[in-house]
Amino acid sequence: MTFAIAFLSLSAPALSSSTAPLLHLHPRSLRLQIPPLVHRSFGSVSGFPRKIRLNYPRSSNSPDILGSSSPISDQDDSLPMPIVHIDQDSDAYATTVQLSFGDRLGALVDTMRSLKDLGLDVTKRTVTTEDSVVKTKFLIMRDGRKVEDPAMLEKIRLSIINNLLKYHPESSENLAMGEVFGIKAPDKKLDVDVATEIFLQDDGPKRSLLYIETADRPGLLLEIVKIITDINVDVESAEIDTEGLVAKDKFHVSYRGAALNNSLSQVLTNCLRYYLRRPETEEESY
């Protein structure tokens, strides 16, 4: 059975691009130095482990903080999978963001406030419970339309994850960002060569569907978009999933208004595989 509660309109004044806050991602330094991303917005598209639980003290704030209104049972010795899902396809006018962490999420007021601080409008919030998993969905807009700038989408993703790490530090072991920003790094590190999968197929005559699964890290979305646009392929829409240590992203891409041919598909796949499987970092760069 599914229960749904709807909350309406927590909005913030729109900020102009000149006053929007700078991106603070603390990205890892890549061996390949990628120049700053040239602005290229996503176009509008209609329809766009089980582990031992660690006990951490809760904030003394009221139940408005992330997760504080969902008490953790001492009988529960497992940690749920933290998932952040950003979708550009399901709503024609807004970016859909869904966050879940088992049944531990609370009112998420701090998360909504952090989105507001990015100059975004949270136009709707819906909470559903399915199979004991609480899923909180936000509809987010910027200047009256969906968020199309990949840099801002990455800000949204990292802002939500940082709030999750702050108010649910036990999630640190289950998130790749826990190694960078969290209290405790994950016990296991993914082998990037093994974790990376890239799949590309036609999705009609005018666009192709690109699926990428790889080890998550800060700034990953910007890296992927930079690689795609560097070979003159257009990104029309995106679906960005952060599932624990893994990023699972889908992009609708095209070349001169058409689906990618076999040659260009091979070039794009090879470029992505080459760069994503070699994320050498320097710890001191954090």
Side-chain angles (χ1 to χ4, degrees):
M1 180 177 294
T2 301
F3 304 92
I5 308 173
F7 300 81
L8 295 179
S9 192
L10 175 64
S11 63
L15 298 180
S16 67
S17 59
S18 63
T19 60
L22 295 177
L23 181 60
H24 298 289
L25 299 179
H26 304 290
R28 306 180 181 192
S29 296
L30 302 176
R31 170 180 291 177
L32 174 67
Q33 295 299 319
I34 300 177
L37 178 70
V38 176
H39 177 75
R40 185 177 300 219
S41 294
F42 294 161
S44 297
V45 177
S46 295
F48 196 85
R50 185 172 174 113
K51 296 189 179 224
I52 301 300
R53 177 176 61 84
L54 301 179
N55 289 312
Y56 293 89
R58 295 285 182 181
S59 167
S60 59
N61 293 339
S62 66
D64 287 341
I65 67 170
L66 190 158
S68 66
S69 61
S70 300
I72 302 174
S73 170
D74 289 336
Q75 306 299 320
D76 183 9
D77 64 350
S78 63
L79 285 177
M81 173 73 76
I83 298 175
V84 179
H85 176 80
I86 302 175
D87 180 13
Q88 293 286 73
D89 282 338
S90 62
D91 191 282
Y93 305 103
T95 297
T96 301
V97 178
Q98 183 169 279
L99 170 62
S100 63
F101 186 49
D103 62 352
R104 304 182 179 212
L105 297 182
L108 293 170
V109 169
D110 286 86
T111 297
M112 290 190 288
R113 184 179 296 117
S114 69
L115 296 175
K116 175 182 177 180
D117 289 343
L118 294 176
L120 303 171
D121 298 326
V122 181
T123 61
K124 185 177 181 181
R125 173 175 176 253
T126 304
V127 180
T128 60
T129 302
E130 185 174 353
D131 297 329
S132 75
V133 176
V134 177
K135 299 180 179 180
T136 304
K137 180 187 293 185
F138 305 99
L139 291 182
I140 299 176
M141 301 179 73
R142 186 185 190 192
D143 298 330
R145 57 187 297 179
K146 68 174 60 183
V147 181
E148 298 177 335
D149 181 8
M152 180 57 72
L153 290 173
E154 183 70 343
K155 286 184 186 180
I156 292 170
R157 187 177 80 98
L158 293 185
S159 180
I160 292 172
I161 290 175
N162 280 332
N163 271 274
L164 186 59
L165 290 168
K166 179 178 180 179
Y167 295 111
H168 287 280
E170 71 273 20
S171 68
S172 180
E173 289 184 87
N174 283 351
L175 285 164
M177 305 301 176
E179 183 173 0
V180 184
F181 307 119
I183 290 177
K184 186 174 181 179
D187 291 336
K188 295 181 179 179
K189 290 187 178 181
L190 294 179
D191 185 321
V192 177
D193 285 335
V194 174
T196 299
E197 296 290 341
I198 301 169
F199 181 72
L200 187 62
Q201 68 176 25
D202 287 347
D203 187 28
K206 295 185 177 181
R207 65 183 189 179
S208 300
L209 177 63
L210 171 65
Y211 175 81
I212 301 172
E213 181 173 327
T214 192
D216 190 28
R217 58 183 180 267
L220 178 63
L221 176 61
L222 298 181
E223 294 173 31
I224 292 174
V225 172
K226 177 67 172 60
I227 294 165
I228 296 173
T229 57
D230 269 356
I231 59 174
N232 296 318
V233 172
D234 297 319
V235 179
E236 298 183 0
S237 64
E239 184 175 324
I240 305 153
D241 277 336
T242 306
E243 299 184 8
L245 305 178
V246 180
K248 300 179 179 181
D249 300 338
K250 296 178 182 178
F251 300 91
H252 281 119
V253 297
S254 63
Y255 178 69
R256 295 182 178 178
L260 277 60
N261 59 33
N262 291 337
S263 297
L264 190 53
S265 294
Q266 191 63 54
V267 170
L268 177 57
T269 300
N270 289 343
C271 288
L272 288 166
R273 184 173 290 113
Y274 177 82
Y275 291 121
L276 294 179
R277 287 185 172 180
R278 288 159 177 78
E280 300 255 342
T281 62
E282 298 174 6
E283 295 296 329
E284 62 271 18
S285 66
Y286 299 140

